[in-house]
Amino acid sequence: MRTWSNHKGEGKLFSIELLDEQGGQIRATMFQEAAEKFFPIFQEGKVYTISRGSLKPRNVKFNKTPHDYELNLGRDAEVEFCGEDKKIKHQLFDFKPINAIQDMPVETYVDIIGVVQSIEPISEIISSRTKKEHKKRVIRLCDTSNAGIDLTLWNDKAVEFDENALPTGAILAAKGLRVGDFSGRSLSSGFTSAFQINPDLPEATKLHQWYQATQGQGVTSLSASGGGGRGPSRRITIGDIQELRQNLDETKAEYFDLKATLIFCRKYEFDRPPWYEACPSDSCNKKVMQVDEGQYRCEKCDKIYPGRSLRYILSMMVADEDGHQWVTAFNTEAEAILGKTAEQLNEYVMNGDEESFNKTLQEPNLKEFIFGCRAKIDMNNEEQQIRVNLTKATPMDPLQEAKTLLEKIAKYDDL
């Protein structure tokens, strides 16, 4: 539901996009009383029959659907809920590779599917035009075209899609994103943008396999650093992390890469393993509470599930030639480091196999990795501390590392 205010007065507006069995798309718009009447009725992914609406040519400035007309539903329109129809798709995408966005005109609308490389904390801005406060969150996405781009989510979507809903490595399908030229090329969501997390699509399967094999290495960002965007992560040493303090606060983060050796994982006991019981929904991952045997409640989803998933929160010490640092690896990164899922490690706990449990946690000790990192300030006992979380963890490839060093040396030779 949107509201507006201008010299003619104030009003309410509500728009939806409809998809039928033949794949046709059309927008329906409701104003004032009709908007209030139908806003609580329509739900995404549900099927309805609609009658007593009127047709008019679409306004291409606001309506980006392929249909030449749009529906106008007044308060006398009739809407009947039909449940679900598997013959009708929930969403119809026209995905474009991220590297193609570089040549798209500004204000173009595009559908993409990408892997979440990183996600920034939510922030707030004041509109210079309306003086209203807006929430925003920037997500870095990449795909098999070896390109990355920053996507800015606004207001409700910025709140909904946090680090738990969109962990690193999650697949995000997005429809109706606006192309901008802020800090290079960038994308932003709008009122009619639609999203699916880890969708059951062939493109998502292909993308997941690509990211598992590459961890997004070699990706070039279309979004330049500064102004809310970031370019490709720079390589620093652990000794440089403390120097970042002046650029950090509780809402602003810094992203960088480390080449470091994993010294050891923190000592974990059977009764306090390095994971938590999470919501089994792919779009949630929030902590759940057991309410009965085999029954788990998720407060965010407001549902009781007949099961739960286990997700890592793994603390470890890493070191390079310049110092040492505690870092935290979440589910995707911890799986890449340990080579086992939390469910697999939990089997050792259930079987009382302490030797295998400890061996798995010690297996990556003294191995070198390329770590993608996100650093921000946290308050601990009224003291500011830099907390470093991993956004990727890739075993160090000596051949690739040698090529990288040779490329850097060649740049000096050209000076």
Side-chain angles (χ1 to χ4, degrees):
M1 180 83 74
R2 297 173 59 184
T3 60
W4 81 83
S5 177
N6 56 31
H7 67 281
K8 296 181 180 180
E10 298 181 348
K12 296 181 179 180
L13 166 68
F14 174 47
S15 294
I16 58 174
E17 291 187 9
L18 300 168
L19 183 67
D20 66 15
E21 185 178 339
Q22 284 74 41
Q25 292 177 267
I26 193 169
R27 172 177 288 190
T29 303
M30 293 136 276
F31 295 91
Q32 307 292 53
E33 294 180 20
E36 292 183 343
K37 176 181 177 180
F38 293 117
F39 182 76
I41 294 176
F42 284 112
Q43 297 181 42
E44 187 174 343
K46 304 301 181 183
V47 179
Y48 302 85
T49 57
I50 300 171
S51 58
R52 302 188 67 181
S54 61
L55 280 175
K56 66 175 185 178
R58 69 170 177 143
N59 185 334
V60 295
K61 181 178 178 181
F62 302 106
N63 186 342
K64 304 302 177 182
T65 63
H67 207 292
D68 292 332
Y69 290 85
E70 63 182 50
L71 278 170
N72 189 346
L73 302 182
R75 63 181 180 179
D76 295 328
E78 295 180 358
V79 175
E80 183 177 349
F81 175 62
C82 300
E84 296 186 6
D85 188 337
K86 293 184 178 179
K87 295 180 181 179
I88 302 177
K89 296 181 178 180
H90 285 192
Q91 194 60 263
L92 193 64
F93 294 100
D94 181 21
F95 294 127
K96 302 299 181 185
I98 290 177
N99 67 350
I101 297 174
Q102 181 68 54
D103 300 320
M104 291 182 181
V106 173
E107 302 296 332
T108 299
Y109 283 78
V110 65
D111 302 350
I112 69 165
I113 184 168
V115 182
V116 176
Q117 278 191 298
S118 60
I119 180 168
E120 292 187 0
I122 198 167
S123 59
E124 297 177 349
I125 65 169
I126 303 296
S127 170
S128 59
R129 183 174 62 86
T130 65
K131 306 304 180 183
K132 292 183 178 180
E133 184 178 88
H134 296 280
K135 293 181 172 61
K136 63 174 287 190
R137 187 190 300 275
V138 178
I139 298 171
R140 168 64 56 81
L141 299 171
C142 65
D143 69 3
T144 55
S145 68
N146 284 326
I149 197 166
D150 284 355
L151 163 62
T152 300
L153 302 177
W154 295 96
N155 298 320
D156 291 345
K157 291 301 181 184
V159 175
E160 178 183 354
F161 293 139
D162 59 8
E163 293 89 342
N164 292 307
L166 281 178
T168 302
I171 308 296
L172 181 66
K175 183 178 182 64
L177 302 178
R178 183 173 61 86
V179 177
D181 57 359
F182 185 68
S183 297
R185 274 293 186 265
S186 60
L187 298 171
S188 62
S189 65
F191 287 104
T192 59
S193 300
F195 301 90
Q196 291 184 12
I197 300 174
N198 296 323
D200 185 15
L201 296 171
E203 294 92 342
T205 301
K206 178 181 177 182
L207 197 54
H208 177 73
Q209 292 171 345
W210 169 79
Y211 189 73
Q212 288 294 308
T214 67
Q215 292 295 303
Q217 285 192 318
V219 166
T220 300
S221 175
L222 305 185
S223 305
S225 59
R230 296 186 310 278
S233 293
R234 65 192 187 280
R235 177 81 66 87
I236 68 173
T237 65
I238 289 174
D240 297 324
I241 294 177
Q242 291 300 321
E243 297 181 12
L244 298 175
R245 183 181 291 273
Q246 60 184 355
N247 299 324
L248 300 172
D249 57 34
E250 293 181 54
T251 61
K252 185 179 179 181
E254 285 280 341
Y255 293 81
F256 52 86
D257 285 352
L258 288 177
K259 185 185 79 169
T261 299
L262 195 159
I263 304 303
F264 59 84
C265 296
R266 185 183 131 191
K267 175 66 176 176
Y268 290 95
E269 305 295 340
F270 271 19
D271 59 342
R272 298 188 68 182
W275 56 75
Y276 68 97
E277 293 179 330
C279 177
S281 171
D282 289 336
S283 61
C284 182
N285 300 326
K286 289 286 190 180
K287 188 175 181 179
V288 295
M289 179 182 298
Q290 186 170 3
V291 294
D292 203 347
E293 185 175 354
Q295 300 290 311
Y296 297 84
R297 176 173 177 77
C298 175
E299 292 293 335
K300 180 183 177 182
C301 298
D302 194 23
K303 289 183 180 180
I304 295 178
Y305 293 96
R308 85 290 177 266
S309 63
L310 299 179
R311 299 185 65 82
Y312 281 118
I313 301 181
L314 183 66
S315 181
M316 62 193 73
M317 174 71 72
V318 301
D320 64 9
E321 69 278 6
D322 210 18
H324 58 272
Q325 176 71 43
W326 282 102
V327 300
T328 300
F330 295 98
N331 201 61
T332 302
E333 295 73 38
E335 286 182 358
I337 291 167
L338 298 178
K340 292 184 183 294
T341 65
E343 296 284 359
Q344 290 173 317
L345 204 55
N346 187 51
E347 292 181 10
Y348 298 143
V349 176
M350 301 301 293
N351 296 328
D353 188 352
E354 187 173 1
E355 181 180 353
S356 296
F357 176 85
N358 290 329
K359 182 178 179 181
T360 301
L361 292 175
Q362 295 167 4
E363 181 67 26
N365 289 358
L366 303 183
K367 292 183 179 179
E368 280 192 294
F369 291 83
I370 305 298
F371 294 115
C373 302
R374 171 179 175 269
K376 63 173 291 189
I377 292 290
D378 272 357
M379 296 300 294
N380 186 13
N381 295 326
E382 299 184 355
E383 291 185 7
Q384 287 189 339
Q385 294 183 350
I386 295 180
R387 181 181 295 276
V388 179
N389 295 334
L390 300 186
T391 60
K392 71 176 180 181
T394 308
M396 200 273 289
D397 181 348
L399 180 59
Q400 182 60 46
E401 187 66 14
K403 290 180 179 179
T404 300
L405 291 173
L406 287 172
E407 289 173 359
K408 291 182 178 180
I409 293 171
K411 290 180 180 179
Y412 282 101
D413 289 342
D414 292 336
L415 295 177

